[in-house]
Amino acid sequence: MSTPRRPAHPDPETRAATLTPEEREDLAERLRERVYVSFASLAVIMTLLAHAHGLGAGTAAASLTITAVGTVAAAWLAELISHLAAHGGFPDRHHMAAMTRTSGGALLTLVIPLLALAAAGLGWWEVTTALRVGVGVLIATLVLIAWLGIRRTKLPWLARILALGVLAALAVGVVGLKLLAHG
């Protein structure tokens, strides 16, 4: 007699129910970090794109990397300070490693935009094309992150689609504000 097999891809509600509270919090933290880095990087790339005349791929890549690393460092430091305030001491080694892994993992959102800039640096295409690829990838990343957040909800499908639309509109507003700041 064989034992029943779990479906390879259970529905989101079933998947959400199988996560421990710690796993849910870890997922939320990873998604949150990727949102921060994606928005900050998107604003920088769009600003670079607006001022791309004479811009080299190396300069663009350096600006993007500095922004992303600075965002990750700020988020990590904020997590450390909040832990100190909430728990009255530094996190243990396990929690410190988890914080660092979560923050550092957000830098993965830059892989394709940086590869596109490397291709521009090799002369395979223009810097503006690489920056446009970066914008597209980061927008797709934000859409995917929003979907990952919404798919675990118990909302009906129509409400999920509406929520994605609202999140998209809010994201456009955030990008607009960042562009005003970097103008």
Side-chain angles (χ1 to χ4, degrees):
M1 221 170 136
S2 65
T3 57
R5 294 172 60 180
R6 281 180 34 174
H9 301 288
D11 65 86
E13 290 176 19
T14 303
R15 219 178 1 247
T18 62
L19 294 177
T20 67
E22 191 174 272
E23 290 170 329
R24 288 180 188 179
E25 188 59 33
D26 183 54
L27 174 65
E29 289 174 11
R30 286 193 324 255
L31 293 176
R32 183 177 53 241
E33 294 294 325
R34 282 169 171 79
V35 167
Y36 293 151
V37 172
S38 295
F39 271 123
S41 300
L42 187 58
V44 167
I45 290 175
M46 292 177 75
T47 301
L48 292 170
L49 196 53
H51 305 286
H53 180 71
L55 179 65
T59 301
S63 294
L64 181 57
T65 302
I66 290 166
T67 296
V69 170
T71 301
V72 165
W76 185 89
L77 186 58
E79 178 72 18
L80 179 62
I81 292 168
S82 65
H83 186 90
L84 286 167
H87 301 284
F90 286 97
D92 61 23
R93 185 181 312 164
H94 172 74
H95 189 79
M96 185 75 79
M99 285 171 41
T100 303
R101 213 174 23 256
T102 297
S103 294
L107 293 174
L108 291 174
T109 60
L110 293 183
V111 170
I112 295 175
L114 287 174
L115 286 174
L117 286 166
L122 293 171
W124 295 355
W125 55 27
E126 297 296 319
V127 172
T128 55
T129 302
L131 292 171
R132 286 186 184 111
V133 167
V135 167
V137 166
L138 290 171
I139 289 171
T141 298
L142 287 167
V143 168
L144 178 62
I145 290 168
W147 175 247
L148 289 173
I150 288 173
R151 75 184 178 127
R152 293 188 184 275
T153 67
K154 295 180 181 179
L155 296 171
W157 280 101
L158 186 58
R160 291 178 193 194
I161 292 169
L162 180 62
L164 268 178
V166 169
L167 289 173
L170 291 170
V172 167
V174 169
V175 170
L177 287 172
K178 288 189 167 281
L179 281 174
L180 282 174
H182 293 286

